[in-house]
Amino acid sequence: MHSEPETRNSKLRQLRWRCRRGMLELDILLEGFLQHGYEALDGGQRADFERLLALPDQELLEYLLGTRTSTEGSLAHVIACIRNTSVF
Amino acid sequence: MTLPPARKFDTLVIGAGGGGLRAALQLAQADASVAVVSKVFPIRSHTVAAQGGINAALANVLPDNWHWHMYDTIKGSDYLGDQDAIEYMCRAASNIVIELEHAGVPFSRLPDGRIYQRRFGGQSQNFGGEQAARACAAADRTGHAILHTLYQQNIRARTHFFDEYFAVDLIRDEQGYILGVLALEIETGEPLLIEAKTTLIATGGAGQLFRTNTNARINTGDGMAMALRAGIPLQDMEFFQFHPTGIAGKGMLISEGVRGEGGFLVNKDGERFMERYAPHAKDLASRDVVSRAIYTEVAEGRGCGAQGDHVFLKLDHLGEETVAARLPAIRELARTFLHIDPAHTPIPVYPTAHYTMGGIPTDRHGRVVVPAGQGEEAIPGLYAVGECACVSVHGANRLGGNSLLDIVVFGRAAGNDIIEYLRENRFHRPLNVASVEQALGRLARWERQGEGETVDGLRRELQQIMEQHCGVFRSQAVLEQGLDKVVQVQQRLANAVLRDHSRVFNTARIEALELENLVELALATVTSALGRTESRGAHSRVDHPQRDDERWLRHTLFFREGRTLDYKPVRMKPMTVESFAPKERTY
Ligand SMILES: Cc1cc2nc3c(=O)[nH]c(=O)nc-3n(C[C@H](O)[C@H](O)[C@H](O)COP(=O)(O)OP(=O)(O)OC[C@H]3O[C@@H](n4cnc5c(N)ncnc54)[C@H](O)[C@@H]3O)c2cc1C
């Protein structure tokens, strides 16, 4: 059995790898958010973040650049969080 | 040492970008058992980032033919491209694009239903005449569409995917045969041996060598470094393409499309300076030409901004409506990363590292070749395609739209050659335990505990050194200092330690292995750049400003052992047509 902090850390490391994408723009936005914004999300929002990470890169890029909007309220919320955490 | 668990396949493909997947598809459809290893999910390979298009002389928009495309590619390469491989690629282009269309790539269309084609820099009609329109695009998601289509076809053809496995090193035997790869399952941190009768390396480019670059973070040139460690030289590593219009200081690509739509570059005086450097093609001149022009403007004090360290890409004159309609993604990119609206405010840009022209030397069947006697010979069972390979169709400078073409054309060619090879080599060769142990040693080294420098800090330093010492303009003194500094980073890396030794998703360990690879490639790049005392394509030596065809119409080969260089002639003889003799390159 893993201890609880170890389980949490391995989850974070997994997310960190899943933030590695095929495009620099996504790497920057997602990694920045994981470092500076993810902690503030509640359980449901974290699940939404993981759902976002499962999307194809191109679609995710369009959401994060705002050229496309998600019709799903909860996803749209996490997208807005990421856009607002933009580290630049 | 106990050996890790092993899996056996007919054929192994390392890398699931467009190059790897096109080859895998050919093989799976021929009923070979195919394993594809990728460090990220296949559809997150860097090929998704290619938005612009793929070149083929379909002549749907303007007159065109493959022979003109061949001429442009050779001229673009500054005559360093191999003319047989270039003829092969340009001839195959139309057919391979149609094949992609039939496989389901949703290319943008003309009103009459034929594939729409874009104008890109470096494309001409009639051997250097009027602008041609040769890039086929699926809206601004060409790479994405190609990658997804190839992935789905591979799933249907039952290709076996090892997703999120990191290839550590090639396994080879005493006779020089490649037996497969040692990989690391990223999720569990456990090693896995994948044995195969043939191995294809398709691991993409190494943009992460430089501080500002357009590449995804995964582009660390792992396959090229694996080849070096297996005793294989790398070819033409001094040629790294800098894209002229990266977002200044950040690197993200502002595509040529912006200039294609009428955007242009200005210096601090508002001057359209490209008119001075390329009177004919102006802002749409070849990438190396525009990059050098921007660098020169800044170096001579005509840069924009408080630090004078960039120039402006202007598109406000196009009007808000045009910008919104034709360049929506670029507009949002600028809004997101710069907080400006390019419909009103110009975009600060500066050259950014973009494409690795050099790589693992191959012939046009994708076979990895090394010097032997007076000529060269293929390493049995080893192949390479895509940005990690040097076939060489891009020579000293790649044209936009030619890389997506390169990966699918030579991916297919390599697949076909592997099928032949498998017919004659029906059995797995015995495993060479010593080689496996050596590869495991690379992993064991990172188990060391204690105090030491961090991988993150060293990577940043390396990228900075490469940018300062091996950038758009180079000279002997600056390169020599750079080489010393890279060697120091290499020595310090040997003493670096990981803070986190856990197994599950230990991304720090992966990043350490990636940095080792980047250091190998930095040494190859700087050493090769020092060796070439001329200026050609993307390689500009201020101390040797001229192209020197007498001495330098040849390819560089860098060997890891002793960091030595060797050279081989450019293949000037095409397959069927007349050779294009070197001419001065003007745009
Ligand atoms: C922003 C941008 C825009 C571009 N636009 C265009 C364009 O419009 N037209 C054009 O022709 N070209 C374009 N290019 C260039 C082109 O996209 C690439 O050269 C091409 O996609 C490379 O394909 P590939 O198959 O060689 O490698 P990639 O697509 O980079 O794939 C590499 C694969 O190798 C895997 N891999 C790497 N290392 C390891 C390892 N150690 N273990 C396991 N797996 C590993 C990765 O997971 C990935 O699956 C563009 C490039 C950039 C950066």
Side-chain angles (χ1 to χ4, degrees):
Chain A
M1 272 297 282
H2 289 301
S3 65
E4 224 174 83
E6 167 50 22
T7 311
R8 204 182 60 217
N9 284 339
S10 65
K11 181 80 207 171
L12 268 175
R13 290 195 304 258
Q14 175 186 23
L15 288 177
R16 185 144 175 256
W17 193 250
R18 301 267 157 89
C19 288
R20 286 259 216 140
R21 313 297 290 209
M23 301 172 177
L24 176 64
E25 293 79 0
L26 290 179
D27 285 339
I28 293 176
L29 292 171
L30 294 172
E31 234 170 69
F33 179 72
L34 194 65
Q35 266 180 31
H36 303 287
Y38 177 77
E39 276 293 313
L41 298 185
D42 66 28
Q45 291 165 335
R46 288 181 182 191
D48 287 330
F49 180 62
E50 284 189 49
R51 279 207 294 145
L52 269 186
L53 290 185
L55 293 176
D57 281 24
Q58 185 67 38
E59 200 176 322
L60 192 50
L61 183 74
E62 287 163 16
Y63 284 138
L64 295 186
L65 291 186
T67 49
R68 173 172 174 167
T69 37
S70 173
T71 47
E72 248 188 272
S74 63
L75 276 195
H77 177 74
V78 178
I79 291 166
C81 289
I82 300 174
R83 278 171 63 76
N84 294 335
T85 320
S86 146
V87 272
F88 304 158
Chain B
M1 211 177 246
T2 48
L3 287 183
R7 300 281 305 269
K8 281 189 180 174
F9 294 85
D10 288 335
T11 176
L12 164 67
V13 174
I14 309 173
L21 289 187
R22 185 62 193 81
L25 181 62
Q26 200 74 1
L27 291 158
Q29 287 176 340
D31 288 331
S33 70
V34 189
V36 175
V37 176
S38 176
K39 63 179 174 180
V40 294
F41 286 115
I43 51 168
R44 295 180 193 164
S45 300
H46 188 55
T47 295
V48 291
Q51 304 188 323
I54 174 170
N55 288 340
L58 297 175
N60 286 355
V61 170
L62 292 171
D64 207 355
N65 74 53
W66 68 263
H67 204 187
W68 302 346
H69 182 190
M70 176 179 173
Y71 167 83
D72 289 340
T73 304
I74 292 169
K75 176 184 173 191
S77 82
D78 220 349
Y79 299 90
L80 195 74
D82 285 342
Q83 299 199 8
D84 56 345
I86 294 175
E87 178 178 346
Y88 180 80
M89 178 178 83
C90 297
R91 271 178 179 275
S94 294
N95 171 284
I96 206 129
V97 164
I98 303 291
E99 195 185 273
L100 287 170
E101 180 188 28
H102 289 168
V105 175
F107 284 109
S108 305
R109 290 179 188 285
L110 293 162
D112 67 5
R114 289 174 306 148
I115 294 174
Y116 170 74
Q117 299 192 277
R118 280 184 182 151
R119 295 161 171 80
F120 265 23
Q123 301 177 344
S124 77
Q125 301 179 42
N126 227 338
F127 310 107
E130 293 300 300
Q131 173 76 42
R134 192 173 289 145
C136 311
D140 57 1
R141 39 167 71 197
T142 314
H144 165 95
I146 292 176
L147 194 65
H148 279 246
T149 303
L150 290 174
Y151 180 65
Q152 274 147 17
Q153 286 196 307
N154 268 288
I155 294 289
R156 212 175 304 145
R158 297 179 183 279
T159 298
H160 188 99
F161 282 95
F162 288 93
D163 293 344
E164 299 192 322
Y165 278 72
F166 184 87
V168 177
D169 257 327
L170 297 170
I171 306 300
R172 63 200 166 121
D173 67 15
E174 303 287 339
Q175 288 75 44
Y177 282 80
I178 302 297
L179 310 176
V181 78
L182 178 78
L184 188 71
E185 185 180 14
I186 298 175
E187 178 171 357
T188 61
E190 295 300 330
L192 174 73
L193 204 51
I194 303 176
E195 293 178 67
K197 300 168 204 164
T198 69
T199 298
L200 171 84
I201 307 174
T203 45
Q208 290 304 327
L209 270 175
F210 296 88
R211 186 179 68 97
T212 44
N213 69 75
T214 61
N215 285 198
R217 297 249 157 91
I218 48 180
N219 281 21
T220 51
D222 302 339
M224 294 185 238
M226 288 193 293
L228 276 180
R229 283 190 296 270
I232 296 157
L234 293 183
Q235 182 173 323
D236 294 341
M237 288 301 285
E238 63 272 41
F239 297 102
F240 210 102
Q241 181 167 78
F242 294 88
H243 196 288
T245 54
I247 292 186
K250 297 181 176 138
M252 285 79 92
L253 180 77
I254 303 289
S255 89
E256 248 138 24
V258 173
R259 282 168 288 145
E261 292 291 349
F264 55 78
L265 295 162
V266 295
N267 60 20
K268 75 166 187 205
D269 306 320
E271 183 205 5
R272 282 191 72 172
F273 57 86
M274 279 315 299
E275 292 175 347
R276 265 189 283 124
Y277 295 87
H280 185 64
K282 298 190 185 102
D283 294 86
L284 279 175
S286 182
R287 288 177 182 170
D288 56 330
V289 175
V290 184
S291 286
R292 280 195 292 276
I294 295 175
Y295 186 98
T296 306
E297 288 302 298
V298 167
E300 293 181 354
R302 293 187 293 279
C304 308
Q307 315 290 329
D309 57 1
H310 55 260
V311 298
F312 280 136
L313 176 58
K314 252 173 73 70
L315 45 155
D316 51 324
H317 59 284
L318 298 176
E320 183 153 357
E321 241 168 66
T322 309
V323 174
R326 302 240 191 94
L327 302 164
I330 296 295
R331 188 180 197 187
E332 293 310 327
L333 196 68
R335 279 184 167 153
T336 306
F337 290 102
L338 292 164
H339 307 300
I340 59 166
D341 181 354
H344 304 292
T345 315
I347 308 174
V349 295
Y350 196 71
T352 173
H354 185 52
Y355 184 85
T356 319
M357 262 86 68
I360 304 165
T362 73
D363 64 15
R364 67 184 156 78
H365 308 284
R367 295 186 287 225
V368 175
V369 290
V370 292
Q374 290 304 306
E376 51 187 15
E377 67 183 18
I379 296 193
L382 185 63
Y383 293 78
V385 295
E387 197 170 332
C388 70
C390 184
V391 44
S392 129
V393 286
H394 310 302
N397 173 61
R398 174 184 73 101
L399 293 186
N402 264 357
S403 176
L404 287 178
L405 180 61
D406 165 10
I407 65 180
V408 286
V409 165
F410 293 105
R412 182 174 70 177
N416 284 331
D417 203 83
I418 291 171
I419 293 168
E420 290 296 310
Y421 183 94
L422 289 174
R423 271 197 199 114
E424 281 153 31
N425 296 271
R426 301 190 24 228
F427 304 102
H428 286 89
R429 297 173 66 83
L431 189 63
N432 178 15
V433 174
S435 178
V436 180
E437 284 179 347
Q438 203 173 10
L440 285 169
R442 248 197 103 204
L443 293 179
R445 172 258 170 276
W446 288 103
E447 297 301 327
R448 207 182 302 149
Q449 314 254 353
E451 290 298 306
E453 290 193 78
T454 67
V455 166
D456 257 2
L458 283 171
R459 185 183 53 241
R460 272 197 293 274
E461 230 175 285
L462 179 75
Q463 291 173 323
Q464 195 92 33
I465 294 167
M466 289 302 286
E467 184 153 298
Q468 277 167 2
H469 292 273
C470 204
V472 173
F473 280 109
R474 301 154 175 192
S475 71
Q476 173 150 353
V478 171
L479 284 165
E480 277 171 352
Q481 285 168 4
L483 183 58
D484 282 348
K485 289 183 182 178
V486 177
V487 170
Q488 282 167 28
V489 168
Q490 185 183 37
Q491 288 160 354
R492 285 161 57 198
L493 181 59
N495 297 319
V497 290
L498 295 180
R499 303 281 181 270
D500 175 2
H501 292 270
S502 56
R503 302 242 145 251
V504 178
F505 276 107
N506 188 337
T507 50
R509 178 183 290 123
I510 301 296
E511 281 164 12
L513 296 169
E514 289 175 335
L515 180 59
E516 285 178 338
N517 291 335
L518 284 174
V519 170
E520 301 272 10
L521 300 182
L523 290 171
T525 305
V526 180
T527 308
S528 303
L530 259 171
R532 187 174 287 269
T533 49
E534 68 156 352
S535 291
R536 183 184 297 273
H539 175 67
S540 286
R541 290 278 303 252
V542 285
D543 45 355
H544 299 278
Q546 301 303 323
R547 193 176 82 193
D548 178 357
D549 292 330
E550 282 292 298
R551 288 183 59 212
W552 286 111
L553 206 52
R554 50 187 188 153
H555 296 293
T556 306
L557 293 174
F558 169 88
F559 294 82
R560 179 175 185 256
E561 181 78 41
R563 295 208 301 269
T564 50
L565 296 175
D566 192 3
Y567 296 94
K568 68 177 188 184
V570 174
R571 296 167 72 92
M572 298 298 289
K573 201 173 156 355
M575 289 162 57
T576 65
V577 292
E578 298 252 314
S579 171
F580 288 100
K583 283 199 295 197
E584 200 195 336
R585 215 168 128 244
T586 51
Y587 283 99

